[in-house]
Amino acid sequence: MGDFSGKVALVTGGSRGIGRAIAVELGRRGASVVLSYAGNEAAAAETVKAIVDAGGKAKAVRFDVADSGACSKAVDEVVKEQGRLDVLVNNAGVAIDGLLMRFKDEDWDKTLDTNLKGAFALMRAVSRPMMKQKGGAIVNLSSVVGEMGNAGQAAYAASKAGLIGLTKSVARELASRNIRVNCVTPGFITTDMTAGLNAELKEKMAAAIPLSRIGNAEEVAAAVAFLASDAASYITGEVLKVNGGMYM
């Protein structure tokens, strides 16, 4: 289920973690994957190799999703080189934690520019080529924190909650052009971001999850691939929780 043969996918933040898992999953299913990275060229090369080793096609491109001009240029180049763009996965993001009373304006701006403005800019950029080809799928990576909030993560939660509203609005705008827009909200997932937490805290968090364990990036990737595939052809504006029951 979910064959992407002949399709082209752009995955932002695809060099590691959830983004890498998504890029590999789409590549394994036949998509020609273009993955973006912000600075870690070696990690991006590793992802490309993993996709090629799995029998797929991949290319890594470097640009900052917080730069609207760079987003437009990247999309134009993908369409020029590949001839089309069928799937956009907005995964790139940053998490800058801090209490509200001490949080700096520049950290707020960086979080919103990367997590929310970047997704907006890329959706705006892909809308035109997807309209021309009369179809496409967009999947945005939000977070359980955007649904339930979390102390010390006001900016991150705001950006991810905003992404849910953006998803629903754009889904309504583009539905008549056969472009579907959906959102995935991962819960507590094993990634580089969570790797630094101590074992005791991880055990405590896992115990509070109904499925009693921490999720993995491949489980999120499977959900993204489903929403991006023709198997989800009648699903748009949806928010799919991948959190083990952490938030219902």
Side-chain angles (χ1 to χ4, degrees), residues 92-105:
V94 296
I96 303 174
D97 299 341
L99 296 176
L100 176 68
M101 63 186 297
R102 296 174 186 158
F103 209 73
K104 298 177 181 177
D105 284 357

Side-chain angles (χ1 to χ4, degrees), residues 174-228:
L174 300 182
S176 65
R177 304 304 183 97
N178 194 34
I179 301 169
R180 299 180 299 101
V181 188
N182 291 290
C183 190
V184 172
T185 55
F188 192 32
I189 307 296
T190 299
T191 64
D192 290 349
M193 281 187 181
T194 60
L197 300 176
N198 64 59
E200 185 180 350
L201 180 57
K202 288 181 182 178
E203 288 178 11
K204 185 178 179 181
M205 294 186 75
I209 298 171
L211 286 183
S212 302
R213 67 176 178 84
I214 299 169
N216 61 63
E218 288 71 26
E219 290 170 313
V220 179
V224 171
F226 165 68
L227 288 175

Side-chain angles (χ1 to χ4, degrees), residues 121-245:
L122 282 160
M123 285 194 284
R124 181 176 61 187
V126 304
S127 63
R128 193 174 299 276
M130 285 185 175
M131 283 181 185
K132 278 181 129 181
Q133 63 197 33
K134 299 180 180 179
I138 299 170
V139 184
N140 297 319
L141 271 292
S142 179
S143 168
V144 66
V145 174
E147 297 175 299
M148 62 184 286
N150 193 35
Q153 289 193 304
Y156 183 73
S159 69
K160 293 300 187 178
L163 199 50
I164 292 173
L166 181 61
T167 295
K168 291 178 178 290
S169 294
V170 178
R172 289 186 179 276
E173 282 191 29
L174 300 182
S176 65
R177 304 304 183 97
N178 194 34
I179 301 169
R180 299 180 299 101
V181 188
N182 291 290
C183 190
V184 172
T185 55
F188 192 32
I189 307 296
T190 299
T191 64
D192 290 349
M193 281 187 181
T194 60
L197 300 176
N198 64 59
E200 185 180 350
L201 180 57
K202 288 181 182 178
E203 288 178 11
K204 185 178 179 181
M205 294 186 75
I209 298 171
L211 286 183
S212 302
R213 67 176 178 84
I214 299 169
N216 61 63
E218 288 71 26
E219 290 170 313
V220 179
V224 171
F226 165 68
L227 288 175
S229 75
D230 292 339
S233 59
Y234 200 55
I235 300 175
T236 194
E238 185 56 73
V239 179
L240 180 56
K241 298 175 174 62
V242 184
N243 63 28

Side-chain angles (χ1 to χ4, degrees), residues 57-79:
K57 299 176 182 177
K59 175 183 179 180
V61 295
R62 182 176 182 175
F63 68 92
D64 182 2
V65 298
D67 181 340
S68 295
C71 290
S72 295
K73 182 180 178 182
V75 169
D76 288 345
E77 289 179 353
V78 170
V79 174

Side-chain angles (χ1 to χ4, degrees), residues 31-132:
S32 177
V33 180
V34 178
L35 60 101
S36 83
Y37 66 100
N40 194 332
E41 186 175 355
E46 287 176 10
T47 304
V48 169
K49 184 177 184 302
I51 294 170
V52 172
D53 288 348
K57 299 176 182 177
K59 175 183 179 180
V61 295
R62 182 176 182 175
F63 68 92
D64 182 2
V65 298
D67 181 340
S68 295
C71 290
S72 295
K73 182 180 178 182
V75 169
D76 288 345
E77 289 179 353
V78 170
V79 174
K80 183 179 180 180
E81 290 178 7
Q82 306 275 356
R84 60 187 300 112
L85 180 53
D86 303 279
V87 177
L88 167 66
V89 180
N90 281 311
N91 167 77
V94 296
I96 303 174
D97 299 341
L99 296 176
L100 176 68
M101 63 186 297
R102 296 174 186 158
F103 209 73
K104 298 177 181 177
D105 284 357
E106 53 265 37
D107 290 337
W108 172 272
D109 291 342
K110 182 177 181 179
T111 302
L112 272 289
D113 283 351
T114 303
N115 298 358
L116 187 55
K117 179 186 171 186
F120 157 75
L122 282 160
M123 285 194 284
R124 181 176 61 187
V126 304
S127 63
R128 193 174 299 276
M130 285 185 175
M131 283 181 185
K132 278 181 129 181

